[in-house]
Amino acid sequence: MSLALHSSLAGVLASIPSPPSRSFPIFGLTIHYYALCIIAGIIVAVFLTNHRLTKRGAERWVVIDIAIIAVPLAIIGARIFHVLTHPNFYFGPGKNTWNPFEPGSVWAIWEGGIAIFGALIGGAVGAWLGCRWTGIRFWSFADALAPGLLLAQAMGRFGNWFNHELFGLPTDLPWGLEIEKSNIAFPPGLPEGTLFHPTFLYEVIWNGLGVLFLLWAGRRLRLQWGKLFACYLIWYSAGRIVWESIRIDPSEIYLGLRSNVWAAIIGVVVGIVILIVQTHRHPGIEPSPYQPGRIPAAEVQSDNPDDFVDVSEPPVDEQITGATATSTAPTS
């Protein structure tokens, strides 16, 4: 191997470059890679959730009816949460708060700036409304969504890489991220060429492992009644506590911790509470992905009889009362 080639390979392995462009023009429009990453993640999550919900016995593509409400509310919630936790970005003297035609407004979501915890709140409200509309059990939908949601988050993190944002502390590790000194988030006083922890990559890896874990747990442990979604909350939030703690982008600090660290801690606690409460209330399996008294608009058939749920007739007491579903599996 020549000395020049060896030096070139060493340079490649010594750091992770930031993408040269954040967007590209097409037919007079500016297409942002950040937006494409988010959209791709949503599409993948919808397809995976549809596949999993159909295997549970739900009508094929009923997930679209739920997503029509849940996705817009998730995006709105994500932006509101980000703006509220970063008020100095958007409010105050010299800030363009409301004009959507100038950079830096609260509406400019294409510039980056959405918060997953806000998306979870807004999306949960939308999913609940969508489930009420379609007759799907909310927790059945949440469990079917969990792996796809985590995969979408992993894909969305590449948008931060394209935007040259949300990187971590300086590092001399061989996978350090290159950030241009002209970047507004580049810490003053550091020399040009300083490398930073690629927190986007850490989350991609952590979330990817989480997807594999959730798929395994859903099949092997038969986690239902929201228990798999609880595992998602615990897994994602636990990792977010770590990655958020080493990020250096501006954030509101409360009691010595960044606002999103507190949000992640709350996510872990909520996940644990859901897991404990639902395990106590529903030790068995779900009799159907549909709410009591609701039937699918078209005949459906489970694609996988040994995965997730029993789609046979519900217990006699549920047929009579039409009340809350029992958590005990029907017996033959």
Side-chain angles (χ1 to χ4, degrees), residues 6 35 77 104 108 110 115 129 133 137 193 196 200-201 207 210 225 230 280 331:
H6 181 274
W110 52 87
L129 293 173
W133 177 26
R137 294 182 193 267
F196 300 88
F200 85 92
L201 183 60
N207 291 353
W225 297 104
H280 176 73
T331 57

Side-chain angles (χ1 to χ4, degrees), residues 34-47 151-152 155-156:
Y34 180 88
L36 293 180
C37 291
I38 299 298
I39 293 172
I42 292 173
I43 293 173
V44 169
V46 167
F47 272 88
L151 181 57
M155 297 173 65

